[in-house]
Amino acid sequence: MSHGRFDNPVTATMTGILDLFRKQKLSERLTDQDSINGKTCIVTGANSGLGFAISVELAKRGGNVIMACRSQIPEAGEKVKKASGSEHVRMLRLDLSDLASVHAFRATLEKEKVRCDLMILNAGVATPKARKTGSGLDEIFQVNYLANFILLHLMLQNGTLPGRTCNGKRRPGDPVPRVVFISSDSHQGSSSIDYDEFGKFFEYGIKKGMNNYSYYKLVLNTMAVEFSRRINKTETDVSMNVICPGPVNTNIIRNAPWLVRIILRGIFSITFQSPEKAAKAVIYMAISPDFEGKTGEYLHMFNPKKMDPKVYDAEEGKKLWEHSADVWKRVDPKAAMCKV
Ligand SMILES: NC(=O)c1ccc[n+]([C@@H]2O[C@H](COP(=O)([O-])OP(=O)(O)OC[C@H]3O[C@@H](n4cnc5c(N)ncnc54)[C@H](OP(=O)(O)O)[C@@H]3O)[C@@H](O)[C@H]2O)c1
């Protein structure tokens, strides 16, 4: 049986607060001069919290921002335009709990000949009990993990994410595209991946829901490292790095039971970082020359760190890749993996 590091929101919150007292080693490395002028940036879950703040900051720094969202279209885009002073912002529909929406998103990018220079896989959900998606999968499993795996395959295949290893054509001198996975340091200490329950739907309550959140961040990180290992064999073709933004005062607890939600909202608003502040470390990893050509790296806010040792295990990565492919094929007649 899989388990994550935390099974109660109070311990998770306290650990987050303690993290805020750590020195932010590289915070000085991000300067106002760091820009992403004219580059296409896709941010998932961009209508709220961290994703919204990341979108504003990328737009301010010259990016052409595509906000990939399932709600608040077009209002959130208008707000990002206003907050950033940039008109180079638009929204595309993407619901990661619906595979038809993931395919439609890919098709739109292809039709519009989008070439993504920066992909921020930010969307995430925390559910207090099991919820089933239309594909019969657990929502946290699909949204926080599998749909990201699928989206990367689809975008690499049609060259929307221009990695040469798959299908993409990169003009000489074009920068290496970057993918940033928004994770959580709560993945540290989660159990090994349980392949008996992988991709299967079980009923559970709040304790396991909390557990699943940190557990699927471990699964996500293992996938990020395996993806990078496969496509960056001799040189960095697509840079794939992982970051934990630290504790952020966002809507992530929106699905918690009402009393827990009220208490946590109070604690979050007093002690947690604002999304704007937390977004800075993500922007650093996403656009700084310090990460040019780097892959498989991990930041905990502005601190370079190692992920849980299990994340780097090549055998585990291979197994996860194969099981993810099997689940994808089982639930999606259009499943097609990149040959990497
Ligand atoms: N807040 C923290 O303390 C913290 C700490 C570490 C890591 N993180 C990570 O940061 C990321 C952003 O979360 P947040 O804290 O900013 O929370 P948030 O305000 O709740 O934002 C989550 C975003 O994910 C989107 N999303 C959820 N389900 C989706 C789906 N099926 N398809 C597409 N988008 C979906 C939400 O869209 P809707 O508004 O339409 O639901 C929203 O835009 C998550 O990956 C989270 O795990 C957060």
Side-chain angles (χ1 to χ4, degrees), residues 99 135-137 142 146 150 199 326-333:
L99 293 184
S135 300
L137 299 173
Q142 182 165 336
L146 191 73
I150 294 175
D326 288 347
V327 176
W328 187 13
K329 278 184 233 154
R330 172 161 64 81
V331 298
D332 182 2

Side-chain angles (χ1 to χ4, degrees), residues 140-306:
I140 302 190
F141 171 77
Q142 182 165 336
V143 173
N144 295 15
Y145 172 63
L146 191 73
N148 292 307
F149 176 78
I150 294 175
L151 192 55
L152 285 177
H153 277 280
L154 296 178
M155 289 178 60
L156 282 162
Q157 272 169 2
N158 68 1
T160 308
L161 193 59
R164 292 183 181 128
T165 339
C166 298
N167 231 352
K169 294 170 193 64
R170 250 194 344 265
R171 292 170 294 247
D174 275 359
V176 170
R178 297 188 193 186
V179 178
V180 176
F181 295 78
I182 305 295
S183 187
S184 164
D185 208 53
S186 69
H187 82 278
Q188 306 267 12
S190 291
S191 69
S192 300
I193 301 171
D194 182 335
Y195 292 103
D196 290 334
E197 64 178 39
F198 191 81
K200 292 182 188 145
F201 180 83
F202 299 97
E203 292 294 347
Y204 55 79
I206 185 159
K207 211 168 158 183
K208 177 84 174 138
M210 274 297 296
N211 247 282
N212 273 351
Y213 176 80
S214 42
Y215 169 71
Y216 282 118
K217 290 296 188 188
L218 176 115
V219 179
L220 180 76
N221 299 355
T222 309
M223 183 266 280
V225 170
E226 177 65 11
F227 227 121
S228 176
R229 197 182 280 126
R230 285 177 184 244
I231 62 174
N232 298 315
K233 287 202 178 89
T234 52
E235 56 171 1
T236 307
D237 186 29
V238 180
S239 147
M240 294 191 165
N241 296 309
V242 180
I243 186 166
C244 168
V248 200
N249 180 20
T250 66
N251 260 329
I252 196 77
I253 43 157
R254 67 180 90 174
N255 296 313
W258 68 271
L259 186 56
V260 177
R261 200 168 59 235
I262 289 172
I263 295 167
L264 289 184
R265 271 214 196 292
I267 298 174
F268 273 36
S269 61
I270 296 166
T271 54
F272 279 22
Q273 311 163 92
S274 68
E276 295 71 27
K277 183 162 186 224
K280 298 278 185 199
V282 179
I283 297 295
Y284 170 58
M285 179 171 254
I287 73 173
S288 167
D290 289 0
F291 283 88
E292 188 72 58
K294 295 254 180 81
T295 195
E297 302 281 327
Y298 178 54
L299 280 182
H300 181 196
M301 299 183 269
F302 274 102
N303 293 325
K305 202 170 162 180
K306 284 281 172 209

Side-chain angles (χ1 to χ4, degrees), residues 45 47-48 50 70-71 95-96 122 183 213 217 248 250 254:
N47 57 294
S48 170
L50 186 67
R70 65 168 178 175
S71 68
D95 182 347
L96 295 166
N122 163 76
S183 187
Y213 176 80
K217 290 296 188 188
V248 200
T250 66
R254 67 180 90 174

Side-chain angles (χ1 to χ4, degrees), residues 82-119:
K82 203 167 165 206
S84 64
S86 166
E87 280 301 306
H88 301 290
V89 177
R90 67 193 176 115
M91 297 191 82
L92 288 181
R93 185 167 298 281
L94 174 63
D95 182 347
L96 295 166
S97 67
D98 173 7
L99 293 184
S101 169
V102 177
H103 283 287
F105 178 74
R106 177 239 197 165
T108 306
L109 296 179
E110 187 169 332
K111 194 165 139 228
E112 298 188 5
K113 297 194 170 41
V114 170
R115 291 166 61 86
C116 174
D117 299 292
L118 169 64
M119 178 90 191

